[in-house]
């Protein structure tokens, strides 16, 4: 829908343009339906509650910071795939290790220095990158942009 397309373009610039014509948002019907899922080819599966009136034919609830953050996280996985990352395989390994070792695959350390934060983003696993991006976008939507994320936003838009 135009609302979601505009949102994607504001966040990613032209970085996802090759996916936008075929990108599809779906309601998650299998597995943990409370969680979002991103698969290759621009397919994003979101919980029913993320859509207006809980109807997947309606726009996403982009005024809700939680919805926006998770949507941005899943979009970043699409971006990662365009950068050549094997997101599904890498995420599966991270989640298996997390279950065995009781480590949070999303956890990262925030720092105030934008250059250091960019370096952490570049070196991070796929889920950490997704969480960093999610935190950045949620802060933007809440009107509290994080200065430490400025170079990350630039990096993602220019890739």
């Amino acid at each position: 829908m135009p609302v979601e397309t505009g949102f994607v373009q504001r966040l990613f610039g032209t970085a996802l343009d090759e996916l936008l014509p075929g990108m599809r948002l779906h309601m998650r019907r299998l597995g943990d339906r409370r969680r979002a899922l991103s698969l290759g080819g621009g397919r994003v599966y979101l919980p029913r509650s993320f859509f207006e009136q809980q109807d997947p034919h309606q726009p996403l609830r982009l005024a809700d910071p939680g919805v926006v953050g998770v949507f941005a996280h899943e979009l970043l996985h699409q971006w990662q795939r365009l950068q050549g990352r094997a997101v599904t395989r890498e995420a599966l390994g991270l989640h298996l290790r997390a279950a065995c070792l009781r480590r949070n695959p999303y956890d990262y350390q925030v720092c105030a220095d934008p250059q250091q934060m960019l370096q952490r983003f570049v070196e991070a696993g796929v889920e950490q990158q997704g969480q960093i991006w999610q935190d950045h976008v949620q802060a933007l939507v809440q009107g509290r942009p994080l200065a430490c994320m400025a170079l990350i936003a630039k990096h993602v838009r220019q890739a």
Side-chain angles (χ1 to χ4, degrees):
M1 292 191 178
V3 174
E4 287 89 354
T5 300
F7 174 79
V8 171
Q9 290 174 328
R10 279 191 304 281
L11 285 182
F12 289 89
T14 60
L16 291 181
D17 278 3
E18 70 181 78
L19 282 180
L20 273 178
M23 189 172 285
R24 297 289 179 261
L25 299 181
H26 304 279
M27 184 180 70
R28 179 104 188 241
R29 296 179 193 276
L30 299 173
D32 185 348
R33 291 177 291 173
R34 296 166 295 167
R35 296 178 53 104
L37 174 68
S38 171
L39 297 175
R43 293 172 294 158
V44 177
Y45 296 83
L46 300 167
R48 176 186 295 274
S49 63
F50 281 34
F51 296 91
E52 295 287 344
Q53 302 168 359
Q54 297 194 17
D55 179 356
H57 298 100
Q58 297 295 318
L60 287 176
R61 296 182 14 230
L62 294 178
D64 182 312
V67 170
V68 168
V70 172
F71 182 44
H73 181 113
E74 298 307 325
L75 289 171
L76 191 80
H77 289 326
Q78 298 296 328
W79 176 85
Q80 291 166 328
R81 286 181 175 95
L82 291 174
Q83 307 310 304
R85 303 265 314 246
V87 174
T88 304
R89 186 173 58 239
E90 189 176 332
L92 182 61
L94 288 168
H95 286 282
L96 287 173
R97 278 192 295 279
C100 294
L101 302 174
R102 290 183 168 70
R103 285 193 206 150
N104 183 345
Y106 302 92
D107 194 34
Y108 70 96
Q109 296 296 313
V110 179
C111 65
D113 179 73
Q115 191 62 46
Q116 271 188 317
M117 199 63 220
L118 174 61
Q119 191 61 36
R120 286 185 183 170
F121 179 81
V122 169
E123 294 171 356
V126 292
E127 294 297 8
Q128 288 172 319
Q129 282 187 345
Q131 188 63 52
I132 291 167
W133 189 251
Q134 179 174 341
D135 293 346
H136 160 65
V137 172
Q138 280 179 308
L140 282 177
V141 169
Q142 293 171 331
R144 298 180 291 117
L146 303 170
C148 65
M149 302 288 192
L151 293 178
I152 294 170
K154 184 177 179 182
H155 173 76
V156 167
R157 290 175 63 83
Q158 291 179 344

